[in-house]
């Protein structure tokens, strides 16, 4: 039996290991294979009850000239963890749009490893996280480009929002590049709602909680505009916002972690 991870394991550095112990060992990863030239899209909403522990692992292989896209809303459970291990072959593509939202007592995680194994593949990851009071949101994303993966094009965009000073967002995009003709970029920011925007909405008669919800919905829902499952994602986001947003003073500090 595999030993329970520790904080020394980078992929579990910010996790809730006490909660994880309840379901350890976790099942083997689900395998997704996209055959050469094929296209596949997966929609995933993880909105388990607050006392549950959810760990979902996926191993994904995208064949020559194939494409794979995932849209994810991860909001549920005491520990809600989704991990993706993606391998890209010649001229294939991987696209990920993800919203991570959690509040008091929750640890919501997304862990990705994208392996550019052959040339001319592309990967684009867009992640938005919202941490409510005493909630922890974590994104750890590694892009590994092999020596044969020339002409790789990879982008990671991570933005986190803190609703008060007791929330935490951990954002850690990472590049490991062994090829010399690539275009790779990543960026991570953590902040809080714009006080001026909140003041403007309040001056137009919106109660503080409604103003916050409106701005937060705009922050994440744009990820899924035009999706076939847009209504499902919107419902999951709205339900999460109802749990996270409470009337709070418009001013105040926040803290977050990024490494």
């Amino acid at each position: 039996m595999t030993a329970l991870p520790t904080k020394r394991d980078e992929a579990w550095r910010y996790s809730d290991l006490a909660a994880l112990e309840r379901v350890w060992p976790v099942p083997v990863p689900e395998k997704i294979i996209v055959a050469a030239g094929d296209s596949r899209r997966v929609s995933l909403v993880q909105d388990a009850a607050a006392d549950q522990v959810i760990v979902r692992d996926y191993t994904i292989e995208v064949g020559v000239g194939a494409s794979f896209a995932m849209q994810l809303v991860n909001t549920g459970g005491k520990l809600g963890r989704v991990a993706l291990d993606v391998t890209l072959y010649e001229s294939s593509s991987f696209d990920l749009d993800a919203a991570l939202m959690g509040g008091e007592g929750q640890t919501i995680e997304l862990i990705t490893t994208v392996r550019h194994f052959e040339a001319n593949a592309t990967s684009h990851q867009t992640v938005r996280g919202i941490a409510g009071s005493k909630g922890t949101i974590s994104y750890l994303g590694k892009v590994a480009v092999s020596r044969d993966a020339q002409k790789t094009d990879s982008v990671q965009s991570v933005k986190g929002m803190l609703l008060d000073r007791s929330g935490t967002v951990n954002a850690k995009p990472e590049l490991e590049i062994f090829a010399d003709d690539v275009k790779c970029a990543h960026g991570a920011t953590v902040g809080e709602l714009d006080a001026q925007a909140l003041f403007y909405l309040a001056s137009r008669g919106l109660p503080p909680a409604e103003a916050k919800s409106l701005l937060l919905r705009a922050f994440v829902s744009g990820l899924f505009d035009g999706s076939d499952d847009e209504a499902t994602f919107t419902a999951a986001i709205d339900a999460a916002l109802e749990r996270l947003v409470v009337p709070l003073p418009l001013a105040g500090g926040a803290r977050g972690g990024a490494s």
Side-chain angles (χ1 to χ4, degrees), residues 178-242:
F178 292 98
D180 56 14
D181 185 7
V182 303
K183 184 168 66 174
C184 295
H186 61 202
T189 62
V190 179
E192 58 186 342
L193 287 171
D194 188 311
Q196 289 186 340
L198 288 170
F199 178 80
Y200 174 82
L201 293 173
S203 71
R204 294 300 184 268
L206 261 69
E210 289 186 29
K212 290 174 186 289
S213 293
L214 183 65
L215 294 177
L216 291 170
R217 190 176 292 109
F219 179 64
V220 296
S221 63
L223 294 170
F224 312 112
D225 287 349
S227 168
D228 292 340
D229 297 297
E230 183 176 351
T232 300
F233 291 129
T234 298
I237 290 168
D238 286 347
L241 289 177
E242 286 182 9

Side-chain angles (χ1 to χ4, degrees), residues 60 62 66-70 84 86 88 92-96 112-114 116 121-125:
I60 302 160
V62 188
S67 64
F68 178 79
M70 175 176 280
L84 311 176
V86 183
L88 298 173
S92 61
S93 68
F94 168 65
D95 290 280
L96 172 67
T112 66
T113 302
V114 180
H116 283 257
T122 64
S123 63
H124 296 88
Q125 301 179 68

Side-chain angles (χ1 to χ4, degrees), residues 54-221:
I54 304 296
V55 179
R56 295 184 175 179
D57 290 347
Y58 298 87
T59 299
I60 302 160
E61 294 185 7
V62 188
V64 174
S67 64
F68 178 79
M70 175 176 280
Q71 293 181 309
L72 165 68
V73 173
N74 187 5
T75 68
K78 180 173 178 58
L79 170 62
R81 179 184 175 94
V82 176
L84 311 176
D85 191 320
V86 183
T87 300
L88 298 173
Y89 292 93
E90 172 81 28
S91 300
S92 61
S93 68
F94 168 65
D95 290 280
L96 172 67
D97 295 302
L100 315 176
M101 306 169 68
E104 185 166 359
Q106 289 187 281
T107 299
I108 302 298
E109 300 180 321
L110 174 61
I111 314 299
T112 66
T113 302
V114 180
R115 308 176 194 276
H116 283 257
F117 190 63
E118 294 179 343
N120 297 300
T122 64
S123 63
H124 296 88
Q125 301 179 68
T126 305
V127 180
R128 301 291 180 260
I130 300 174
S133 177
K134 299 179 182 178
T136 299
I137 301 295
S138 296
Y139 167 77
L140 283 70
K142 179 177 182 179
V143 173
V145 182
S146 73
R147 297 184 188 281
D148 294 326
Q150 304 295 339
K151 304 296 184 182
T152 284
D153 187 340
S154 177
V155 176
Q156 294 169 285
S157 171
V158 190
K159 295 182 180 180
M161 190 74 70
L162 297 166
L163 298 190
D164 74 29
R165 67 186 63 189
S166 67
T168 301
V169 174
N170 302 298
K172 188 175 182 294
E174 178 184 357
L175 295 172
E176 181 182 84
I177 302 173
F178 292 98
D180 56 14
D181 185 7
V182 303
K183 184 168 66 174
C184 295
H186 61 202
T189 62
V190 179
E192 58 186 342
L193 287 171
D194 188 311
Q196 289 186 340
L198 288 170
F199 178 80
Y200 174 82
L201 293 173
S203 71
R204 294 300 184 268
L206 261 69
E210 289 186 29
K212 290 174 186 289
S213 293
L214 183 65
L215 294 177
L216 291 170
R217 190 176 292 109
F219 179 64
V220 296
S221 63

